[in-house]
Amino acid sequence: MLSPAASIREYKEAEELQVLSPYAVPAAKSRGRRRPEDQCATRTAFERDIGRIIYSLDFRRLRHKTQVFFNPRSDHVCTRMEHVIYVSYIARTIGKALRLNEDLIEAIALGHDLGHAPFGHSGEAELNAILRREGAGFEFKHEIHSLRVIDVLAEHRGKRQGLNLTFEVRDGIVSHCGERYLETELHAARDKREDELYPGAEHHALPASLEGCVVRIADRIAYLGRDIEDASRAGLMDFEDIPRGLKRTLGSSNRDIVNNLVTDIIRSSQGQDAIKLSPEPAQAMSELLQMNARRIYASAKVRRYEFIARQIVDGLYEAFKEGLVDPEALAASSIPVLANLAKFAQEHPEPQASRDRIICDYLAGMTDVYASESFKSIYQI
């Protein structure tokens, strides 16, 4: 029984302990933050994390970052921000039915793509190729960079020191990988340690919570049918192209696909310490994801877009590398993106960061629009 003097947060935490599934992570049992902080009187730890994410500059930039098709100013093309909202909605729907912690799910979902480079996976692949070419000694993966953003690069209370989120949210973000097409049953890696977060992401280790597992599978559901909607407008693929057998299992619209998969996950996972898809929907989902890969992501139109994206990322990297040779001249540049790079390098939160690390951090934070306009301003085209 709580005392009359108990805070609103404590009442919320007590209610969670009573109503959540035994497989959920109540806020009161969070492993906490890397830097200890006083508790909020009103919000639970996971509610605070939601606020820190949505108020961050990195989250705002998602509205001008590509999902698949480059045109983030178009009302008809899915942006990275829309995608994370879709993931949050789908994951919370599943989590609520399974009595998991919706606040933890929302925080993971909204933050899971904060580390995406401009131009989506095309930009990510090119940036990674450049780092190998330069012998940087590290790779670029958006899951790992998302954790780097919230741990190191994001500004909080006027300081670039990261958002200091809880372990569970950080783990869910770095473990969210939605490109594992054949996953049908996810079990939480509950014994995962703090020092395993970054290394674990290299081989797509599972999240430490069922909430993280829900986001991981919701990521795939969110883009499965939505990418077909964009592809239809581009003349690449339509829902009518889906084979009859897959339609019978999944449906013939984005709405049907989402509803059928969410319903199956809830029914298959009810009362279990796992997030599951039953065999037929799991196989159908995998087949449709692979079909999307062939018809959309590997299409000639998308490849042409990828060529342009690679040229922009490579051109920016070369210009930034050349500019950092003379920091004083860089700071005095009349080209805003170069002057901003000088300021970013001077204020970088890691004093011993290498040139490649600084450029990677700066470039990865750019939106598609800013990267394109910066390229034009540097090369005068």
Side-chain angles (χ1 to χ4, degrees):
M1 178 69 72
L2 292 174
S3 73
S7 67
I8 295 172
R9 170 185 54 79
E10 289 171 318
Y11 275 103
K12 288 179 178 179
E13 291 175 343
E15 183 179 21
E16 284 185 351
L17 291 170
Q18 290 180 343
V19 303
L20 291 183
S21 161
Y23 307 123
V25 180
K29 293 187 178 181
S30 169
R31 297 198 213 175
R33 308 179 189 280
R34 295 202 300 172
R35 297 189 300 275
E37 296 180 9
D38 292 336
Q39 295 268 37
C40 176
T42 305
R43 295 167 297 161
T44 68
F46 301 145
E47 286 180 302
R48 292 183 84 184
D49 286 355
I50 294 169
R52 291 180 184 189
I53 290 167
I54 63 176
Y55 281 112
S56 70
L57 179 59
D58 306 276
F59 182 78
R60 276 178 273 162
R61 286 173 178 156
L62 295 180
R63 71 179 182 267
H64 292 307
K65 288 196 175 188
T66 285
Q67 173 65 12
V68 174
F69 296 94
F70 173 59
N71 193 355
R73 286 174 170 167
S74 169
D75 292 338
H76 302 289
V77 175
C78 186
T79 67
R80 189 64 58 176
M81 178 174 281
E82 288 171 67
H83 169 70
V84 301
I85 293 171
Y86 297 155
V87 174
S88 176
Y89 174 64
I90 292 167
R92 283 188 294 109
T93 300
I94 296 169
K96 185 172 185 177
L98 298 178
R99 293 190 297 120
L100 300 178
N101 194 317
E102 289 183 68
D103 294 328
L104 174 54
I105 286 172
E106 184 172 7
I108 296 170
L110 293 178
H112 82 275
D113 273 353
L114 290 179
H116 253 294
F119 310 113
H121 290 284
S122 305
E124 176 174 1
E126 181 62 20
L127 188 51
N128 203 32
I130 293 169
L131 293 172
R132 286 197 298 269
R133 182 186 75 202
E134 297 292 321
F138 63 94
E139 294 185 341
F140 182 85
K141 291 183 177 180
H142 78 270
E143 305 101 310
I144 296 174
H145 196 70
S146 292
L147 183 56
R148 180 169 172 78
V149 166
I150 60 177
D151 277 355
V152 178
L153 299 173
E155 291 186 20
H156 179 50
R157 295 175 180 170
K159 297 180 180 178
R160 190 182 290 278
Q161 57 181 3
L163 302 179
N164 198 31
L165 305 183
T166 56
F167 170 85
E168 292 77 13
V169 174
R170 294 170 57 240
D171 163 73
I173 286 172
V174 80
S175 307
H176 80 264
C177 179
E179 285 76 55
R180 309 286 281 184
Y181 292 174
L182 300 179
E183 281 184 340
T184 61
E185 185 170 327
L186 288 72
H187 295 266
R190 299 189 191 281
D191 295 330
K192 189 189 290 186
R193 303 188 309 271
E194 166 69 34
D195 61 4
E196 294 177 310
L197 293 188
Y198 281 96
E202 294 286 352
H203 58 269
H204 305 300
L206 285 165
S209 67
L210 278 194
E211 287 84 354
C213 292
V214 168
V215 173
R216 181 158 162 150
I217 203 165
D219 189 17
R220 270 169 282 165
I221 295 172
Y223 67 69
L224 179 60
R226 185 63 183 85
D227 286 355
I228 298 175
E229 289 182 334
D230 283 348
S232 177
R233 294 187 179 93
L236 297 176
M237 178 180 172
D238 198 272
F239 288 102
E240 293 303 313
D241 299 325
I242 300 174
R244 187 176 301 171
L246 297 187
K247 281 185 186 177
R248 204 164 36 239
T249 302
L250 298 176
S252 55
S253 68
N254 185 36
R255 178 187 62 187
D256 290 343
I257 290 170
V258 170
N259 183 65
N260 288 330
L261 289 172
V262 166
T263 300
D264 183 78
I265 290 171
I266 293 169
R267 287 174 174 166
S268 302
S269 309
Q270 201 78 47
Q272 299 192 54
D273 188 12
I275 302 301
K276 299 180 179 181
L277 270 167
S278 59
E280 188 176 356
Q283 180 63 31
M285 179 179 179
S286 176
E287 290 180 19
L288 186 53
L289 283 165
Q290 292 176 58
M291 184 177 178
N292 283 8
R294 294 191 306 271
R295 294 285 299 271
I296 303 173
Y297 316 136
S299 68
K301 282 187 178 181
V302 171
R303 289 291 173 84
R304 290 189 185 98
Y305 153 69
E306 288 177 341
F307 176 79
I308 296 170
R310 287 198 303 270
Q311 296 305 306
I312 293 174
V313 172
D314 189 64
L316 289 174
Y317 203 100
E318 288 299 312
F320 296 162
K321 182 174 70 171
E322 181 179 337
L324 284 174
V325 171
D326 187 348
E328 290 187 9
L330 187 69
S333 174
S334 60
I335 300 175
V337 68
L338 297 179
N340 289 340
L341 171 62
K343 186 174 185 292
F344 180 86
Q346 185 178 22
E347 297 175 352
H348 196 277
E350 297 171 327
Q352 304 305 315
S354 66
R355 176 205 66 187
D356 292 309
R357 176 63 80 182
I358 291 170
I359 295 174
C360 180
D361 287 343
Y362 183 63
L363 209 162
M366 301 171 80
T367 65
D368 298 17
V369 174
Y370 186 55
S372 298
E373 292 176 349
S374 296
F375 180 87
K376 292 176 184 177
S377 67
I378 290 171
Y379 293 99
Q380 300 297 306
I381 58 173

